[in-house]
Amino acid sequence: MYLRVIPLEQMAGAPLVAADVAAALIGPLGTTLVAAAVMVSTFGTLNGSMMTGPRVFYAMAEDRLFFRRLAQVHPRHGTPSASIVLGAALGIVFVSVRSFAELAGQFVIGIWPFYALSVAAVFVLRRTRPDLPRPYRTFGYPWVPLLFLAASVFLLGNYALSQPREFVVDCAIVLSGVPVYWLWSRRAPKPGEVGDNTADSG
């Protein structure tokens, strides 16, 4: 539909293609509707990120793989307040030093490989743990997860070819977590040691 409304040559220089298409179809109201839809989508994504991102810090701290203070839970709200503050602070730093396009590119490298690995785990678990209870089975298996994996590889490959320098830098940032994890895991108490919350107290 975009290509039928706006020529490809004009689309290449248009920063807001969806808004331009909506304006061409239904006038100025279309731009307002698209802006409202983007706003709702943005707040929905932010809500999901704030619900999940800080809890990764919390889980790491609980496993003694991050600063223990981040495992604290707010006494009234029952939320990982310290982790939420850290997530918000990191967000402020990111938007202060990088452009939207750079952050979008970094999102591709920071998130999509793990999306792909999570979907690939479906195939691994089907083969290695066939007896696990599965209350929900992937619709269209194996074609749907294979299609997702192919799209993920295409997305990452396209980014690597179009912006190789940024791709290498972003990969280095993600991979820097490996030695950090190794160092923290060496400091973490082993099961049964003093201070290990998972040890059987009985």
Side-chain angles (χ1 to χ4, degrees):
M1 185 181 72
Y2 285 0
L3 291 172
R4 289 183 65 88
V5 175
I6 299 179
L8 186 60
E9 299 77 15
Q10 181 181 343
M11 188 182 298
L16 301 172
V17 177
D20 293 342
V21 170
L25 292 176
I26 57 178
L29 178 62
T31 303
T32 303
L33 293 176
V34 169
V38 170
M39 182 179 67
V40 171
S41 176
T42 299
F43 280 113
T45 302
L46 180 61
N47 179 62
S49 299
M50 291 303 296
M51 289 290 290
T52 56
R55 283 162 177 79
V56 174
F57 300 149
Y58 170 81
M60 292 168 61
E62 276 280 284
D63 292 340
R64 297 182 180 274
L65 296 174
F66 210 17
F67 300 108
R68 288 291 295 164
R69 181 175 178 80
L70 297 177
Q72 291 182 351
V73 176
H74 194 280
R76 177 181 176 187
H77 302 294
T79 57
S81 52
S83 294
I84 292 174
V85 170
L86 175 61
L90 290 174
I92 292 172
V93 171
F94 288 151
V95 300
S96 298
V97 300
R98 306 200 74 176
S99 66
F100 175 80
E102 291 172 334
L103 289 173
Q106 193 168 18
F107 174 83
V108 172
I109 298 301
I111 299 295
W112 276 91
F114 299 99
Y115 287 165
L117 289 172
S118 297
V119 172
V122 173
F123 296 96
V124 175
L125 290 174
R126 285 284 187 97
R127 174 170 296 184
T128 60
R129 305 290 297 277
D131 299 327
L132 282 178
R134 291 181 169 86
Y136 175 80
R137 287 181 172 269
T138 303
F139 174 78
Y141 180 87
W143 303 111
V144 170
L146 280 175
L147 180 62
F148 181 88
L149 287 175
S152 301
V153 171
F154 174 80
L155 183 67
L156 294 168
N158 181 67
Y159 183 60
L161 293 175
S162 61
Q163 302 186 56
R165 178 180 172 276
E166 290 79 2
F167 181 84
V168 172
V169 171
D170 292 341
C171 283
I173 293 173
V174 172
L175 291 176
S176 67
V178 175
V180 173
Y181 170 80
W182 182 77
L183 290 173
W184 278 98
S185 61
R186 286 177 60 88
R187 294 177 53 190
K190 301 298 184 293
E193 291 182 359
V194 176
D196 178 27
N197 294 333
T198 63
D200 184 5
S201 59

